[in-house]
Amino acid sequence: MGLLTIGAFAKASRLSPKALRLYDELGLLAPARVDPVTGYRLYAPEQVDQARLVAWLRRLGMPLARIQHVCTLEATTAAQEIRAFWAQVEADTAARRDLATFLIDHLSWKDPAMSPTTRHLGIRYAALSDKGLVRESNQDTAYAGSHLLAVADGYGSQGAPASAAAVDALKHLETVSVPAGHLLNVLEDAIEQAKQAVHGVAGTGSAPEEAGTTLTAMLWTGSQLALVHIGDSRVYLLRDGGLFQITHDHTMVQSMVDEGRLSPEEAAAHPERSLLIRALGQGADATPDMRLHDAQRGDRYLLCSDGLSTVVSAEEIRRVLSGTGEPEQAVRELITLANGSGGPDNVSCVVADVLDLQG
C-alpha cells in the first residue's frame, strides 16, 4: 500500500486533519513525506497504530508533551507510564472529590449547639511525645486541647522548632469561636499562618531548605472534626471495633503504590519510604488535605507521627485503642509499643474519645 493523503490518514487514525497538522508542528506525529511542490502531508500505513495511540491518549486527557514521551517507549514501558498517569488522574480526582465533599458539608453545616442530639458531645483527650531509643533529640510536637488536636513531625536542622511553630500557629483556634459558615476560611488561614511560622524558623538555620515539618490536626466543632493534613503523620478512627486510616500519606513511596509501581509490602521496606512530597518547609508543596468527619459517641481518634505507624502494625494499634480505657493510658501504651519495636524514630500520639458530656 502506498502513502496516504492527510484526509485518508485522518479517517483511518480517527484524528482530524487539523489535529494532524498540529501534531506535525509539535514533532509528535510527523508525516512520512511532504510533497515538495504542493506541501501536502503524506503518511505511511504503518503510522496508523501510533496515530490511534495518540488519539486514545488525548481522550484520556494526557498532555501532549507526555504523549510524545510515551510514543518513544516500547510497549511494556509505555503501559507502565499510562498506568502511572491514570493513577495520578484518579488521585487528583479523589482530591477534588474530597474538597467538593468538604464544601458541601461546610455549606450545609448547622451550628451543633442548636441540635438537641449533638449539643452534649465533647472530647476527652491526651497527648504524649517521646524521642524514642535512637534519636538524640525529639523533633516531634504533639498537642491536645478541648478543640484542637495536632501532631507535627519536624525534619532538618531546625526540625524541632519547625514542628513546634506549626502547632503553635494553630493554638489560637482553641479560643476562637468558628462560625459554621467560616470554617473553611479559618482552616486555610491557619495553615497559611503555620506555613509562615515554619518558614520563619527554617530561615534561621544553616540549611533552611532542609528544615520543615509535617502537620496533621483536627479541629473539634461540637459534632464534627475538621481535618487538616500535610505529610505522613496519620489519623486513625476506631469505630465499632474497626480501625480506619482516614489520612493519606504524602510520600514518594505512597505515590508509587498509588501508581501501581510498588506493592504495599515493597513500600514498607523501601529505603526512601519517608521521603515527603508535601510538607511545611522551604520549597515544599504545602497543599493540605481537608475533610470533615461526623463524630459519633464512642468514636476514638488517634493522631500519630510515623514513628508509630512504621514500626507498629495496624492490628496492634487497633488492639491497644480498643482495649484501653483512658486516652492517657492509650498514648502511653502506644509509645511503649513503638519503643519495644526498637524506637528508631521520635514517636508522638494524640488520642481523643468522643463522649456524651452528660454521661
Side-chain angles (χ1 to χ4, degrees), residues 318-330:
R318 188 201 67 79
R319 181 186 62 79
V320 170
L321 292 177
S322 60
T324 307
E326 294 296 321
E328 292 85 351
Q329 183 181 355

Side-chain angles (χ1 to χ4, degrees), residues 316-340:
E316 280 293 284
I317 292 174
R318 188 201 67 79
R319 181 186 62 79
V320 170
L321 292 177
S322 60
T324 307
E326 294 296 321
E328 292 85 351
Q329 183 181 355
V331 295
R332 287 196 299 269
E333 288 194 18
L334 289 168
I335 287 178
T336 297
L337 271 180
N339 287 334

